[in-house]
Amino acid sequence: MALADLSQLYYTFLEAFSDYSIDMSLGQKAFERRMLNKLSIEWPLSVGAFSGDKMVGFIVHTSNNYQNERHAYNGGTGVIPEYRGLNLTEHMYGRAIRQMQEQGIQKCVLEVIDTNSNATKAYQKVGFQKKRILRCYKLVRSIVAATNHTERYSVETLDTRGLEALPNLTIPSFMDTWAQLTRNSAHEKMLRIYDQDDTLKGYAIFQPDNGRIARLWVRDKDRRNGIGRSLLSTIAGKCPNKSLTVINVDENDQAAHQFLIACGFENQINQWEMILEIH
Protein backbone atom coordinates (compact mmCIF):
# COMPACT_ATOMS: atom_id res chain seq x y z
CA MET A 1 0.00 0.00 0.00
CA ALA A 2 0.93 3.66 -0.30
CA LEU A 3 -0.18 7.00 1.10
CA ALA A 4 -2.45 7.39 -1.91
CA ASP A 5 -4.52 4.48 -0.55
CA LEU A 6 -5.30 6.26 2.74
CA SER A 7 -8.77 7.49 1.76
CA GLN A 8 -9.83 4.10 0.40
CA LEU A 9 -8.34 2.43 3.47
CA TYR A 10 -10.65 4.54 5.64
CA TYR A 11 -13.82 3.42 3.87
CA THR A 12 -12.71 -0.22 3.85
CA PHE A 13 -11.95 0.08 7.57
CA LEU A 14 -15.50 1.32 8.26
CA GLU A 15 -17.03 -1.48 6.19
CA ALA A 16 -14.82 -4.19 7.66
CA PHE A 17 -15.63 -3.19 11.25
CA SER A 18 -19.30 -2.33 10.70
CA ASP A 19 -20.38 -5.56 12.48
CA TYR A 20 -17.56 -5.67 15.05
CA SER A 21 -18.32 -6.31 18.73
CA ILE A 22 -16.79 -2.90 19.63
CA ASP A 23 -17.80 0.41 18.09
CA MET A 24 -14.87 1.26 15.80
CA SER A 25 -16.49 4.18 13.97
CA LEU A 26 -14.16 7.14 13.49
CA GLY A 27 -14.34 10.38 11.56
CA GLN A 28 -11.94 10.50 8.65
CA LYS A 29 -9.64 13.08 10.25
CA ALA A 30 -9.44 11.07 13.48
CA PHE A 31 -8.72 7.92 11.46
CA GLU A 32 -5.95 9.62 9.51
CA ARG A 33 -4.39 10.95 12.72
CA ARG A 34 -4.53 7.46 14.18
CA MET A 35 -2.83 5.94 11.14
CA LEU A 36 -0.25 8.65 10.44
CA ASN A 37 0.60 9.85 13.94
CA LYS A 38 -0.39 7.38 16.65
CA LEU A 39 0.45 4.26 14.64
CA SER A 40 2.92 5.95 12.28
CA ILE A 41 1.98 3.49 9.54
CA GLU A 42 4.77 2.11 7.36
CA TRP A 43 3.31 1.67 3.91
CA PRO A 44 5.86 -0.86 2.57
CA LEU A 45 4.95 -3.21 5.45
CA SER A 46 1.19 -2.72 4.98
CA VAL A 47 -0.89 -4.78 2.57
CA GLY A 48 -4.23 -4.35 0.83
CA ALA A 49 -6.37 -6.95 -0.94
CA PHE A 50 -8.31 -5.68 -3.95
CA SER A 51 -11.21 -6.86 -6.08
CA GLY A 52 -10.83 -4.76 -9.18
CA ASP A 53 -10.32 -1.22 -7.89
CA LYS A 54 -12.02 -1.86 -4.56
CA MET A 55 -9.99 -2.55 -1.43
CA VAL A 56 -11.67 -5.50 0.30
CA GLY A 57 -9.08 -6.25 2.97
CA PHE A 58 -6.03 -4.74 4.64
CA ILE A 59 -3.31 -5.19 7.24
CA VAL A 60 -1.53 -2.06 8.46
CA HIS A 61 1.85 -2.23 10.17
CA THR A 62 4.46 -0.05 11.74
CA SER A 63 7.79 -1.12 13.26
CA ASN A 64 9.88 -0.14 16.24
CA ASN A 65 12.06 -1.50 19.02
CA TYR A 66 10.05 -3.68 21.40
CA GLN A 67 11.54 -5.75 24.21
CA ASN A 68 15.03 -5.18 22.77
CA GLU A 69 14.22 -6.48 19.29
CA ARG A 70 12.86 -4.86 16.16
CA HIS A 71 9.19 -5.78 15.82
CA ALA A 72 6.57 -5.04 13.23
CA TYR A 73 3.26 -4.19 14.87
CA ASN A 74 -0.14 -4.97 13.41
CA GLY A 75 -2.22 -1.83 13.87
CA GLY A 76 -5.32 -3.34 12.31
CA THR A 77 -6.55 -6.20 10.12
CA GLY A 78 -9.87 -5.95 8.32
CA VAL A 79 -11.79 -7.84 5.65
CA ILE A 80 -15.21 -6.66 4.46
CA PRO A 81 -18.00 -9.17 5.25
CA GLU A 82 -18.59 -10.64 1.77
CA TYR A 83 -14.89 -11.54 1.36
CA ARG A 84 -14.44 -13.39 4.65
CA GLY A 85 -13.75 -17.11 4.63
CA LEU A 86 -11.31 -16.83 1.70
CA ASN A 87 -8.12 -16.91 3.81
CA LEU A 88 -7.33 -13.30 2.85
CA THR A 89 -5.54 -12.66 6.15
CA GLU A 90 -3.19 -15.58 5.49
CA HIS A 91 -2.55 -14.44 1.90
CA MET A 92 -1.91 -10.83 2.92
CA TYR A 93 0.52 -11.94 5.60
CA GLY A 94 2.43 -13.96 3.04
CA ARG A 95 3.18 -10.69 1.27
CA ALA A 96 3.81 -8.70 4.45
CA ILE A 97 6.25 -11.24 5.88
CA ARG A 98 8.41 -11.03 2.75
CA GLN A 99 8.60 -7.27 3.24
CA MET A 100 9.54 -7.76 6.89
CA GLN A 101 12.29 -10.19 5.95
CA GLU A 102 13.73 -7.69 3.48
CA GLN A 103 13.84 -5.04 6.21
CA GLY A 104 15.45 -7.31 8.79
CA ILE A 105 12.49 -7.34 11.17
CA GLN A 106 12.78 -10.13 13.75
CA LYS A 107 9.22 -10.49 15.04
CA CYS A 108 5.68 -9.29 14.46
CA VAL A 109 3.31 -8.52 17.35
CA LEU A 110 -0.43 -7.91 17.50
CA GLU A 111 -3.34 -7.89 19.93
CA VAL A 112 -6.65 -9.67 19.38
CA ILE A 113 -9.73 -9.78 21.61
CA ASP A 114 -9.61 -13.09 23.48
CA THR A 115 -13.18 -14.02 22.53
CA ASN A 116 -12.57 -13.45 18.80
CA SER A 117 -11.83 -17.08 18.01
CA ASN A 118 -12.04 -16.66 14.22
CA ALA A 119 -9.35 -13.96 14.17
CA THR A 120 -7.20 -15.89 16.66
CA LYS A 121 -7.33 -19.01 14.49
CA ALA A 122 -6.49 -17.01 11.37
CA TYR A 123 -3.40 -15.56 13.06
CA GLN A 124 -2.37 -18.97 14.37
CA LYS A 125 -2.54 -20.32 10.80
CA VAL A 126 -0.01 -17.64 9.84
CA GLY A 127 2.23 -18.75 12.72
CA PHE A 128 1.41 -16.33 15.55
CA GLN A 129 1.56 -17.71 19.07
CA LYS A 130 -0.24 -16.49 22.18
CA LYS A 131 2.09 -14.83 24.69
CA ARG A 132 0.12 -12.99 27.37
CA ILE A 133 -3.31 -11.64 28.25
CA LEU A 134 -3.74 -7.86 28.35
CA ARG A 135 -6.67 -6.30 30.20
CA CYS A 136 -8.58 -3.26 28.94
CA TYR A 137 -10.49 -0.88 31.22
CA LYS A 138 -13.06 1.89 30.87
CA LEU A 139 -14.14 4.37 33.54
CA VAL A 140 -17.78 3.75 34.41
CA ARG A 141 -18.27 6.07 37.40
CA SER A 142 -16.92 9.40 38.65
CA ILE A 143 -13.55 9.52 40.37
CA VAL A 144 -13.56 10.99 43.87
CA ALA A 145 -10.11 12.52 44.40
CA ALA A 146 -8.48 13.31 47.74
CA THR A 147 -8.54 17.03 48.55
CA ASN A 148 -5.89 17.27 51.26
CA HIS A 149 -2.82 17.21 49.03
CA THR A 150 -0.49 20.18 48.53
CA GLU A 151 1.67 18.78 45.74
CA ARG A 152 2.67 20.78 42.67
CA TYR A 153 1.06 19.64 39.41
CA SER A 154 2.27 20.26 35.87
CA VAL A 155 0.63 19.38 32.57
CA GLU A 156 2.59 19.80 29.37
CA THR A 157 2.99 18.39 25.88
CA LEU A 158 4.95 15.17 26.04
CA ASP A 159 8.64 16.07 26.27
CA THR A 160 10.61 13.31 24.59
CA ARG A 161 13.82 14.13 26.46
CA GLY A 162 14.68 11.79 29.30
CA LEU A 163 11.63 9.57 28.93
CA GLU A 164 13.60 6.33 29.20
CA ALA A 165 14.68 7.34 32.70
CA LEU A 166 11.09 7.56 33.95
CA PRO A 167 9.95 4.54 35.97
CA ASN A 168 7.13 2.22 34.94
CA LEU A 169 5.39 -0.60 36.77
CA THR A 170 5.09 -3.34 34.15
CA ILE A 171 6.20 -4.21 30.64
CA PRO A 172 4.07 -1.98 28.38
CA SER A 173 2.43 -3.15 25.19
CA PHE A 174 3.98 -2.09 21.89
CA MET A 175 1.93 1.10 21.43
CA ASP A 176 2.79 2.33 24.93
CA THR A 177 6.56 1.95 24.66
CA TRP A 178 8.53 5.19 24.84
CA ALA A 179 9.74 4.67 21.28
CA GLN A 180 6.16 4.61 20.01
CA LEU A 181 4.71 7.32 22.28
CA THR A 182 7.27 9.83 21.06
CA ARG A 183 5.95 9.44 17.51
CA ASN A 184 2.63 10.84 18.73
CA SER A 185 4.12 13.40 21.13
CA ALA A 186 2.14 16.30 19.63
CA HIS A 187 -1.10 14.61 20.76
CA GLU A 188 0.09 13.21 24.11
CA LYS A 189 0.11 15.14 27.38
CA MET A 190 2.22 14.41 30.45
CA LEU A 191 0.88 15.11 33.93
CA ARG A 192 3.41 15.13 36.76
CA ILE A 193 2.99 15.48 40.53
CA TYR A 194 5.92 16.75 42.63
CA ASP A 195 6.34 16.97 46.39
CA GLN A 196 7.49 20.10 48.18
CA ASP A 197 11.12 19.20 47.44
CA ASP A 198 10.35 18.95 43.69
CA THR A 199 10.79 15.19 43.73
CA LEU A 200 8.57 13.32 41.30
CA LYS A 201 5.80 11.47 43.15
CA GLY A 202 3.79 10.30 40.14
CA TYR A 203 3.07 10.88 36.48
CA ALA A 204 0.64 9.97 33.75
CA ILE A 205 0.61 10.21 29.96
CA PHE A 206 -2.74 10.64 28.20
CA GLN A 207 -4.45 11.85 25.04
CA PRO A 208 -6.92 14.69 25.75
CA ASP A 209 -8.67 14.07 22.41
CA ASN A 210 -10.00 10.66 23.44
CA GLY A 211 -9.27 10.08 27.14
CA ARG A 212 -6.79 7.28 26.48
CA ILE A 213 -4.26 6.84 29.33
CA ALA A 214 -0.99 5.27 28.21
CA ARG A 215 1.08 5.42 31.42
CA LEU A 216 0.27 5.85 35.12
CA TRP A 217 2.89 5.59 37.86
CA VAL A 218 3.13 6.49 41.57
CA ARG A 219 6.28 5.96 43.62
CA ASP A 220 6.10 3.14 46.16
CA LYS A 221 5.88 5.15 49.38
CA ASP A 222 3.05 7.33 48.06
CA ARG A 223 0.73 4.58 46.97
CA ARG A 224 -2.64 4.26 48.76
CA ASN A 225 -2.38 7.95 49.68
CA GLY A 226 -4.66 9.33 46.96
CA ILE A 227 -1.94 10.35 44.49
CA GLY A 228 -3.14 7.95 41.81
CA ARG A 229 -6.72 9.13 42.22
CA SER A 230 -5.55 12.73 41.95
CA LEU A 231 -3.79 11.92 38.69
CA LEU A 232 -6.92 10.30 37.28
CA SER A 233 -9.19 13.09 38.53
CA THR A 234 -6.97 15.73 36.90
CA ILE A 235 -6.93 13.79 33.62
CA ALA A 236 -10.72 13.53 33.70
CA GLY A 237 -10.89 17.31 34.00
CA LYS A 238 -8.62 17.68 30.97
CA CYS A 239 -10.77 15.30 28.89
CA PRO A 240 -14.29 16.74 29.12
CA ASN A 241 -17.03 14.51 27.72
CA LYS A 242 -14.54 11.69 27.10
CA SER A 243 -14.60 8.26 28.73
CA LEU A 244 -11.22 7.50 30.27
CA THR A 245 -9.69 4.21 29.12
CA VAL A 246 -6.62 2.23 30.11
CA ILE A 247 -5.85 -0.60 27.73
CA ASN A 248 -3.41 -3.48 27.51
CA VAL A 249 -2.46 -3.89 31.16
CA ASP A 250 -0.63 -7.17 31.80
CA GLU A 251 -3.03 -9.55 33.56
CA ASN A 252 -0.31 -10.39 36.10
CA ASP A 253 -0.29 -6.79 37.38
CA GLN A 254 -2.78 -7.37 40.18
CA ALA A 255 -1.95 -4.05 41.89
CA ALA A 256 -2.94 -2.11 38.77
CA HIS A 257 -6.11 -4.19 38.40
CA GLN A 258 -7.21 -3.60 41.99
CA PHE A 259 -6.40 0.12 41.79
CA LEU A 260 -8.33 0.70 38.57
CA ILE A 261 -11.37 -1.23 39.82
CA ALA A 262 -11.34 0.74 43.09
CA CYS A 263 -11.21 4.01 41.12
CA GLY A 264 -14.32 3.16 39.11
CA PHE A 265 -12.92 1.44 36.04
CA GLU A 266 -14.40 -1.73 34.62
CA ASN A 267 -12.36 -4.50 32.97
CA GLN A 268 -14.54 -4.72 29.85
CA ILE A 269 -12.43 -6.80 27.47
CA ASN A 270 -9.17 -8.73 27.37
CA GLN A 271 -6.76 -9.25 24.52
CA TRP A 272 -4.20 -11.84 23.58
CA GLU A 273 -0.81 -10.46 22.70
CA MET A 274 0.45 -12.72 19.91
CA ILE A 275 3.95 -12.94 18.45
CA LEU A 276 5.18 -14.22 15.09
CA GLU A 277 8.84 -15.16 14.64
CA ILE A 278 10.12 -13.85 11.30
CA HIS A 279 12.55 -16.36 9.77
Side-chain angles (χ1 to χ4, degrees):
M1 281 199 288
L3 180 60
D5 295 312
L6 183 59
S7 180
Q8 186 169 191
L9 175 62
Y10 169 67
Y11 291 106
T12 305
F13 171 88
L14 292 181
E15 191 172 353
F17 287 99
S18 60
D19 58 350
Y20 199 50
S21 59
I22 298 173
D23 182 10
M24 298 289 286
S25 57
L26 284 173
Q28 189 163 359
K29 287 186 177 179
F31 175 81
E32 291 177 356
R33 184 167 66 240
R34 176 177 173 174
M35 289 292 112
L36 300 178
N37 300 117
K38 183 63 178 175
L39 179 64
S40 192
I41 186 173
E42 294 185 26
W43 297 104
L45 296 178
S46 302
V47 181
F50 291 82
S51 177
D53 293 330
K54 179 179 174 63
M55 184 186 294
V56 299
F58 63 85
I59 304 176
V60 292
H61 288 109
T62 190
S63 68
N64 218 324
N65 184 56
Y66 182 53
Q67 299 183 20
N68 300 316
E69 294 179 289
R70 190 179 175 202
H71 282 63
Y73 172 78
N74 180 332
T77 299
V79 177
I80 66 174
E82 58 264 41
Y83 282 84
R84 293 172 189 164
L86 302 177
N87 296 322
L88 283 186
T89 297
E90 190 173 358
H91 292 311
M92 288 189 289
Y93 255 114
R95 173 69 176 272
I97 288 169
R98 290 194 294 273
Q99 295 296 104
M100 294 174 197
Q101 290 170 332
E102 291 177 6
Q103 295 196 25
I105 291 172
Q106 297 159 301
K107 295 179 180 179
C108 184
V109 58
L110 57 80
E111 294 112 23
V112 60
I113 294 175
D114 63 347
T115 57
N116 190 345
S117 58
N118 288 337
T120 302
K121 290 176 182 176
Y123 291 131
Q124 288 175 322
K125 285 179 67 176
V126 173
F128 282 89
Q129 296 183 350
K130 297 175 180 177
K131 292 300 180 180
R132 60 174 174 162
I133 284 285
L134 302 170
R135 291 173 168 173
C136 302
Y137 301 83
K138 184 176 181 178
L139 186 66
V140 295
R141 66 175 190 267
S142 298
I143 299 170
V144 179
T147 58
N148 59 341
H149 291 287
T150 59
E151 291 82 8
R152 178 171 64 84
Y153 291 70
S154 70
V155 181
E156 64 256 356
T157 299
L158 184 61
D159 186 348
T160 59
R161 295 170 298 177
L163 289 180
E164 294 289 353
L166 287 173
N168 193 54
L169 295 180
T170 58
I171 298 172
S173 62
F174 179 94
M175 289 297 290
D176 290 334
T177 59
W178 293 125
Q180 198 65 26
L181 284 171
T182 56
R183 289 177 162 179
N184 194 46
S185 59
H187 302 285
E188 306 276 357
K189 294 289 186 182
M190 175 172 276
L191 167 64
R192 305 181 200 236
I193 298 182
Y194 298 91
D195 63 18
Q196 295 178 345
D197 297 324
D198 277 344
T199 301
L200 184 67
K201 298 181 74 169
Y203 76 89
I205 297 173
F206 66 100
Q207 294 179 59
D209 290 344
N210 57 24
R212 163 89 162 83
I213 300 170
R215 294 282 184 109
L216 183 70
W217 173 85
V218 176
R219 67 181 179 183
D220 289 347
K221 69 179 183 179
D222 290 303
R223 292 174 192 165
R224 300 181 179 84
N225 288 329
I227 298 299
R229 284 180 178 268
S230 293
L231 285 167
L232 291 173
S233 178
T234 302
I235 292 170
K238 299 291 182 182
C239 305
N241 304 317
K242 305 294 182 184
S243 297
L244 299 189
T245 57
V246 181
I247 71 170
N248 293 343
V249 178
D250 192 306
E251 70 165 345
N252 293 317
D253 190 346
Q254 289 300 315
H257 174 74
Q258 294 168 7
F259 168 72
L260 290 169
I261 295 298
C263 287
F265 284 81
E266 184 178 88
N267 179 196
Q268 295 191 328
I269 63 170
N270 295 316
Q271 299 197 103
W272 277 109
E273 181 181 70
M274 302 183 74
I275 302 286
L276 171 69
E277 300 273 354
I278 305 297
H279 300 292

